[in-house]
Amino acid sequence: QVQLVESGGGLVQPGGSLRLSCIASGSISRFNTMGWYRQAPGKEREFVAHIATGVTPTYADSVTDRFTISRDNTKNTVHLQMNNLKPEDTAVYYCHLREIVANSDYWGQGTQVTVSS
């Protein structure tokens, strides 16, 4: 089993920055992607960014050039640096891990990000 724990959410003014972190524990292989999704009130969960070892990260169009995803395989962590935040970035952000060989998906509990003046 795999557990994901997020941290780093909070309240920030428009134009501000936040850094989300996610630590994975449990039975984790070397062949996986880690990333972030978000869900705003009344909307479906949507893809934000993901990263696999040795592969160029992928971003949603809405966050390209503002968000940067990175991972540290030695610590099984993934980070999301969010700059120039906008009110429409307000959502619960979920850490996601996909085991490629097993084709299994794991989710964290989510962390709230609120962008408001």
Side-chain angles (χ1 to χ4, degrees), residues 42-108:
K43 295 187 177 181
E44 294 187 353
R45 190 172 298 189
E46 65 175 6
F47 168 78
V48 175
H50 68 192
I51 184 170
T53 301
V55 179
T56 301
T58 302
Y59 297 93
D61 289 344
S62 59
V63 307
T64 298
D65 295 330
R66 298 189 298 121
F67 292 9
T68 302
I69 190 170
S70 61
R71 64 185 289 168
D72 182 345
N73 290 335
T74 65
K75 299 179 180 178
N76 288 329
T77 59
V78 63
H79 305 284
L80 186 69
Q81 177 66 42
M82 306 185 294
N83 298 328
N84 190 22
L85 283 160
K86 304 175 180 181
E88 52 263 42
D89 295 317
T90 295
V92 177
Y93 284 70
Y94 295 92
C95 182
H96 172 253
L97 184 149
R98 169 167 290 173
E99 287 285 353
I100 296 172
V101 174
N103 197 28
S104 299
D105 291 285
Y106 302 93
W107 296 93

